[in-house]
């Protein structure tokens, strides 16, 4: 199992528009094989990023999503906010799940090395 966290720095004046974009998301990821969940986390401290957090059964499942037509369609609306809506570049972090307290029977994700997305 892996997690993917996309840290997105949004300027305060665009926060409402950014949140609305996720409320209206296409939801295409929800039907992808290996997809477990998607959370959009709102920062509570000024200057911290939003985090779009997804959980996947495997690294391969996530890579299949990124390479899919559904990914392209689902991200087409990401260009709807102007460049000044973002306070800096986003940062994508991928983690292998070593242990999950809600799933004690889950074996650790094998080490896979650096993630090559494209």
């Amino acid at each position: 199992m892996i997690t993917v966290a996309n840290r997105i720095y949004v300027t305060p004046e665009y926060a409402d528009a950014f949140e609305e974009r996720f409320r209206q998301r296409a939801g295409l990821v929800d039907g992808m094989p290996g997809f477990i969940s998607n959370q959009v986390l709102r920062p509570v401290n000024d200057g911290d990023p939003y985090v779009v957090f997804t959980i996947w059964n495997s690294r391969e499942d996530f890579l299949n999503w990124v390479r899919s037509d559904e990914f392209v369609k689902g991200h087409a609306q990401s260009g709807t906010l102007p460049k000044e809506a973002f306070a800096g570049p986003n940062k994508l972090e991928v983690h292998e799940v070593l242990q999950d307290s809600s799933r004690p029977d889950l074996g650790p994700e094998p080490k896979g090395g650096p993630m090559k997305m494209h």
Side-chain angles (χ1 to χ4, degrees), residues 16 34 118:
D16 290 341
H118 300 286

Side-chain angles (χ1 to χ4, degrees), residues 4-10 14-30 35 38-43 49-54 65 71 74-81 86 90 92:
V4 180
N6 189 1
R7 298 182 187 285
I8 305 170
Y9 292 86
V10 178
Y14 284 96
D16 290 341
F18 179 82
E19 290 180 18
E20 185 59 26
R21 184 177 74 181
F22 277 97
R23 284 189 198 94
Q24 301 299 323
R25 71 184 182 89
L28 298 174
V29 69
D30 300 346
F35 172 78
N38 177 51
Q39 298 174 352
V40 180
L41 310 176
R42 179 189 305 129
Y50 280 84
V51 179
V52 179
F53 189 79
T54 57
W65 158 244
F71 178 87
H75 286 80
Q77 67 182 15
S78 66
T80 60
L81 293 178
F86 304 99
N90 66 316
L92 192 68

Side-chain angles (χ1 to χ4, degrees), residues 34-104:
F35 172 78
I36 297 173
S37 71
N38 177 51
Q39 298 174 352
V40 180
L41 310 176
R42 179 189 305 129
V44 297
N45 295 318
D46 291 342
D48 284 351
Y50 280 84
V51 179
V52 179
F53 189 79
T54 57
I55 302 174
W56 296 87
N57 276 327
S58 71
R59 174 187 292 244
E60 184 159 340
D61 290 329
F62 173 68
L63 288 173
N64 288 338
W65 158 244
V66 171
R67 296 173 180 148
S68 71
D69 291 339
E70 289 86 351
F71 178 87
V72 174
K73 291 175 194 170
H75 286 80
Q77 67 182 15
S78 66
T80 60
L81 293 178
K83 189 168 30 171
E84 60 269 11
F86 304 99
N90 66 316
K91 180 174 173 34
L92 192 68
E93 298 174 353
V94 179
H95 294 89
E96 297 162 341
V97 177
L98 183 66
Q99 186 263 334
D100 181 339
S101 65
S102 71
R103 296 177 62 187

